Amino acid sequence: MAQQAEIHVSRKIFEGAQAPSADQPAAPATRQHVWFASDFGGGTAPSPTFEWQLHGTYSHQGKIATGTAHVFLAPGHRNLERPLILADGFNYGPSDLPGLWEHFDKKEGGRFLTRLRDSGIDVILLGFDERHTYIQANAGVAAACIDRAAAERIGSEPLIVGGVSMGGMITRYALARMESENLDHQTGTYFSWDTPHNGAWIPLILQQMAYFFEAFIPEDPDQPKQAELIRSPAAQQLLWAWVENSKYEGPVATASPLRAEFLQELQNYGNFPARPRKIGVANGHGAGVGLKLTPGETAFDWKDQYNTVSAKAVVQPDMGEKEPIGSMHIALEIRRSSTTAVPALDGVPGGTLGSFGMVAKALDIEVDERFNSTCFVPAVSAVALDFDPATWDIDPALDISTIGRDRSHLDDFLCDSENSPHSEPTPALTDFLVDRFVS
């Protein structure tokens, strides 16, 4: 029987540490803000032809989510004829639809949205008022958008429905649930862009630091706390390994009941929608080439000049038993963390997130550029390979190019030629999707 993936934490008085005096800082020199959020933010876009205010078609945990859709008709169209819905992904707070447009229509990425419209496809950008809430709640908003697009469409062209990052999970759940409830989603193609179908990864030591240092940073009533995204329902449902606070010890794989419940609901609804063709792209390398990170090496090891605050982060070791992953301290208390049977996910092929870089910047620590980014969505997850999403009984560094397409829940997919940033449009990925949508 395989060992259970676990985290261990030791708490003790730090020898040599100094209690801060009145003129010494007792916390890192940082402001309160959400860690691990990566906004496209502040973007510009053409004015939408229509704007829809949407309310979820069903509630979850007593909550009916809301959202907004921006509709961009193709040139020459006066009404919806060939609708494509692109749902926004994982982040904190409300969607920035102009920013989403700018991100996916950048020149260096192949002008994804312009090419779709020039091909006669009407683009609908779907945003959510709370991206960090339950996937099921936002799926109700996606279902409302699907219903409205089908109702306002002229003719009978099947819809194209999908999303980027968590948006792919939201629309996957919405379509599968609609089929289970015998509702006609009128969708011919489902697509996902670097969607964590089997889960995502944020280094456990960095999750702990978000919780630990949050308590020592003055609160700003106008800003969410730095661990808000990590503790959010969406993060609990998406992250394969999650910790609930900086003191937590125990199992980490599908540790949150919210993830276990969500996976079970998906399974009850058939896991994936059955009727549409299913395609996807991954920002991770498809031939098993990972990042240049050595398991167990130190990413940063910092302490302030008074030795009242310190933070050390280690690249996730590969399996092993009680392998150190880092430490943190303020004043006299230090916490040291280690893991057992956790794979070296920081460096596996996948769409990347500036995890170590984000935390180093937040703590005003200098870090070697090589450590800025880690894997966020492993390629084996983004292409929906058929393995247990709760336990991850797979080699996360698998060379996907050597296996048959029947190993995936998707009918067709493409991995990038390098490990590019999570959700980043690249010419190859753009070409792949445009070709399949147009044909």
Side-chain angles (χ1 to χ4, degrees), residues 305-317:
Q305 61 179 316
Y306 304 106
N307 201 21
T308 58
V309 185
S310 70
K312 179 180 180 179
V314 170
V315 175
Q316 176 61 48

Side-chain angles (χ1 to χ4, degrees), residues 211-222:
Y211 292 118
F212 181 75
F213 289 118
E214 173 184 79
F216 297 93
I217 298 171
E219 289 192 30
D220 182 342
D222 297 324

Side-chain angles (χ1 to χ4, degrees), residues 156-358:
S156 57
E157 187 75 23
L159 275 63
I160 303 170
V161 177
V164 57
S165 184
M166 186 180 67
M169 293 298 291
I170 290 170
T171 49
R172 170 184 161 188
Y173 177 94
L175 292 169
R177 177 167 174 167
M178 292 175 83
E179 289 184 359
S180 178
E181 296 175 350
N182 295 316
L183 299 174
D184 186 5
H185 52 58
Q186 300 185 48
T187 299
T189 299
Y190 162 79
F191 73 96
S192 61
W193 193 307
D194 213 36
T195 290
H197 287 292
N198 289 313
W201 166 260
I202 289 176
L204 293 168
I205 186 63
L206 301 186
Q207 294 185 44
Q208 288 185 316
M209 286 183 182
Y211 292 118
F212 181 75
F213 289 118
E214 173 184 79
F216 297 93
I217 298 171
E219 289 192 30
D220 182 342
D222 297 324
Q223 294 291 331
K225 294 182 178 181
Q226 63 192 35
E228 284 302 293
L229 185 55
I230 288 295
R231 66 166 62 92
S232 71
Q236 294 185 50
Q237 292 176 313
L238 283 183
L239 293 175
W240 171 71
W242 177 79
V243 294
E244 63 185 48
N245 56 52
S246 63
K247 303 175 184 178
Y248 173 78
E249 290 190 276
V252 293
T254 311
S256 170
L258 296 185
R259 177 165 169 79
E261 291 164 6
F262 173 69
L263 293 176
Q264 185 60 58
E265 280 191 45
L266 260 183
Q267 193 65 40
N268 293 344
Y269 291 137
N271 201 19
F272 275 83
R275 296 209 305 267
R277 173 182 59 158
K278 294 173 280 292
I279 59 178
V281 294
N283 282 106
H285 199 295
V289 178
L291 304 176
K292 294 181 179 179
L293 297 174
T294 303
E297 69 176 327
T298 299
F300 59 77
D301 189 358
W302 167 86
K303 62 182 178 182
D304 73 343
Q305 61 179 316
Y306 304 106
N307 201 21
T308 58
V309 185
S310 70
K312 179 180 180 179
V314 170
V315 175
Q316 176 61 48
D318 192 17
M319 305 303 282
E321 186 170 349
K322 293 190 175 181
E323 296 286 340
I325 59 171
S327 61
M328 61 211 81
H329 105 274
I330 287 181
L332 300 179
E333 182 178 339
I334 185 168
R335 294 181 189 166
R336 294 186 174 92
S337 301
S338 60
T339 56
T340 292
V342 175
L345 289 168
D346 288 347
V348 302
T352 64
L353 183 70
S355 305
F356 285 129
M358 286 182 184

Side-chain angles (χ1 to χ4, degrees), residues 26-109:
T30 186
R31 61 183 176 83
Q32 189 67 268
H33 69 287
V34 176
W35 285 13
F36 311 116
S38 54
D39 287 314
F40 303 142
T44 58
S47 297
T49 315
F50 309 115
E51 181 174 313
W52 299 340
Q53 299 302 316
L54 300 166
H55 289 76
T57 58
Y58 45 79
S59 66
H60 183 74
Q61 298 290 338
K63 179 181 181 63
I64 295 179
T66 55
T68 302
H70 284 183
V71 181
F72 302 88
L73 295 183
H77 288 188
R78 300 183 64 181
N79 299 283
L80 279 175
E81 296 182 23
R82 299 180 65 193
L84 176 146
I85 297 172
L86 171 62
D88 196 10
F90 177 66
N91 223 315
Y92 191 85
S95 295
D96 172 10
L97 293 182
L100 186 64
W101 175 280
E102 184 176 63
H103 177 75
F104 274 103
D105 209 48
K106 60 180 70 171
K107 181 179 180 180
E108 59 270 29

